[in-house]
Amino acid sequence: MTQNLIDPFARAITYLRLSVTDRCDFRCVYCMSENMSFLPKKELLTLEELDRLCSSFIQLGVKKLRITGGEPLVRRGIMTFFEAMSRHLDSGALDELTLTTNGSQLEKFAPQLAAAGVKRINVSLDTLDEAKFAEITRWGRLPQVLRGLDAAQSAGLRVKLNTVALKEFNEDELITLTQFCADRDMDLTFIEVMPMGDIGNENRLGQYWSLKDLRAELEKNYSVVDLTERTGGPARYLRLEETGQKIGLITPLSHNFCESCNRVRITCTGEIYTCLGQEGKSDLRQPLRDYPEDDHALEAAIRAAIAGKPKGHDFDYSRQELGGQMSRHMSHTGG
């Protein structure tokens, strides 16, 4: 079975986002509740199963592999998995191995990631104010993350900050965050808050800051030029003439980005979600474990899942309601 993966809307699936754990050392208020119940470790795929799963997708045409969580670097032994995946980079079967992280463990792991062939990373960071950082992450410490950014850049990793746009929280830091990235030669992408999971007493609509409004604020301070660049992902890009930097905007709520979707997500328990904003899923753990020496059943299950990939999501705040809200947390699906 060597034919590449094509979904029902003729989109080639070349990008896999794999969650290796649902655990995290932060409790960001838009992502999860403070008192989370995490999965029993026996339900998680082993590192060997994660390797076999990713290798099957790479054989079927996936060229980019992003490791997510939770916080992927808190998974015990995770660097052995990155080191194993580097063989696909060496063979040319895989173009890119990367990860999304909260940055808390980068000071420790950045050199090892670079040695495994990781060249770019995304770091989630929503504020440069230490008190506000502690507030929004509940458990996080900003200086630890800033040291992680230093370590990543010292190791030669290209860093992009992912910042969730949060009304009445980081609106006043728009220019500060933008200039911080310009000064450090880091990329920056703003993301609209998504309706994923029960987050306790937090108000999704109260958090929602439309990137249309964010862009308008940028235009008050910079000359903004739209870029035609597309990466196959959800971001649209613009350039700030004064700094020369590229800014990404991910707008699942104010602009549906599904027409070019080339990705699927797999949870740490082996569930495959072919759309972030739909509940539909398929199980890949069973064929992994029922047929440990034979990949045909696994590949058949992968193809069946791709055959059910929907055209797009239903996220919607336009009527001041949480349209399309997902029951699962982002930490379960994987960033």
Side-chain angles (χ1 to χ4, degrees), residues 272-320:
I272 178 171
Y273 287 88
T274 55
C275 178
L276 177 64
Q278 299 284 356
E279 297 284 13
K281 63 183 179 181
S282 302
D283 177 35
L284 300 181
R285 184 173 62 183
Q286 183 175 353
L288 265 172
R289 293 184 173 175
D290 287 354
Y291 303 95
E293 305 298 330
D294 183 359
D295 286 341
H296 285 85
L298 174 59
E299 293 178 3
I302 291 170
R303 291 190 183 279
I306 300 304
K309 183 172 170 64
K311 189 173 184 179
H313 65 68
D314 298 318
F315 292 150
D316 183 15
Y317 284 178
S318 63
R319 293 178 294 279
Q320 294 301 297

Side-chain angles (χ1 to χ4, degrees), residues 59-306:
Q59 183 180 347
L60 295 172
V62 161
K63 304 298 288 184
K64 179 176 179 178
L65 174 61
R66 179 176 295 280
I67 306 306
T68 69
E71 169 48 48
L73 296 180
V74 301
R75 169 119 190 211
R76 183 176 297 177
I78 192 60
M79 285 313 306
T80 63
F81 171 75
F82 277 98
E83 291 159 2
M85 286 296 99
S86 67
R87 73 184 186 275
H88 297 301
L89 294 171
D90 294 340
S91 72
L94 187 65
D95 290 343
E96 185 174 27
L97 172 64
T98 185
L99 80 154
T100 296
T101 173
N102 64 26
S104 68
Q105 306 299 311
L106 280 177
E107 189 174 16
K108 176 181 179 182
F109 288 116
Q112 296 175 60
L113 289 167
V118 175
K119 299 187 183 306
R120 298 189 307 127
I121 61 171
N122 290 358
V123 179
S124 300
L125 182 62
D126 302 320
T127 177
L128 294 171
D129 181 286
E130 191 168 346
K132 287 166 65 176
F133 185 87
E135 173 191 346
I136 197 167
T137 63
R138 294 191 178 105
W139 296 3
R141 297 183 300 278
L142 180 62
Q144 180 181 3
V145 172
L146 296 180
R147 291 195 304 271
L149 295 179
D150 289 338
Q153 291 192 299
S154 295
L157 299 175
R158 181 73 186 174
V159 176
K160 182 180 79 172
L161 293 192
N162 284 342
T163 298
V164 177
L166 296 165
K167 190 173 184 179
E168 298 180 357
F169 179 79
N170 56 11
E171 288 174 286
D172 61 341
E173 291 189 77
L174 173 61
I175 305 306
T176 303
L177 283 160
T178 301
Q179 194 60 48
F180 175 79
C181 289
D183 292 343
R184 298 186 56 141
D185 189 27
M186 295 190 301
D187 297 320
L188 175 61
T189 290
F190 291 101
I191 307 170
E192 288 175 335
V193 66
M194 299 185 202
M196 301 287 292
D198 180 5
I199 54 173
N201 296 324
E202 301 294 332
N203 181 352
R204 291 279 190 206
L205 288 172
Q207 294 174 337
Y208 174 51
W209 178 20
S210 169
L211 293 196
K212 290 181 180 179
D213 297 335
L214 183 148
R215 180 194 169 115
E217 289 300 312
L218 283 176
E219 290 175 338
K220 293 178 182 178
N221 295 272
Y222 302 98
S223 302
V224 177
V225 177
D226 287 308
L227 300 178
T228 58
E229 176 183 348
R230 293 290 183 270
T231 62
R236 283 168 161 71
Y237 296 99
L238 51 86
R239 184 177 66 249
L240 307 184
E241 290 293 288
E242 288 77 5
T243 64
Q245 71 194 114
K246 183 174 69 174
I247 304 290
L249 303 177
I250 296 181
T251 55
L253 303 169
S254 63
H255 178 85
N256 186 298
F257 49 64
C258 303
E259 67 275 0
S260 61
C261 182
N262 65 343
R263 68 201 57 203
V264 295
R265 289 171 168 83
I266 297 179
T267 72
C268 51
T269 59
E271 296 168 325
I272 178 171
Y273 287 88
T274 55
C275 178
L276 177 64
Q278 299 284 356
E279 297 284 13
K281 63 183 179 181
S282 302
D283 177 35
L284 300 181
R285 184 173 62 183
Q286 183 175 353
L288 265 172
R289 293 184 173 175
D290 287 354
Y291 303 95
E293 305 298 330
D294 183 359
D295 286 341
H296 285 85
L298 174 59
E299 293 178 3
I302 291 170
R303 291 190 183 279
I306 300 304

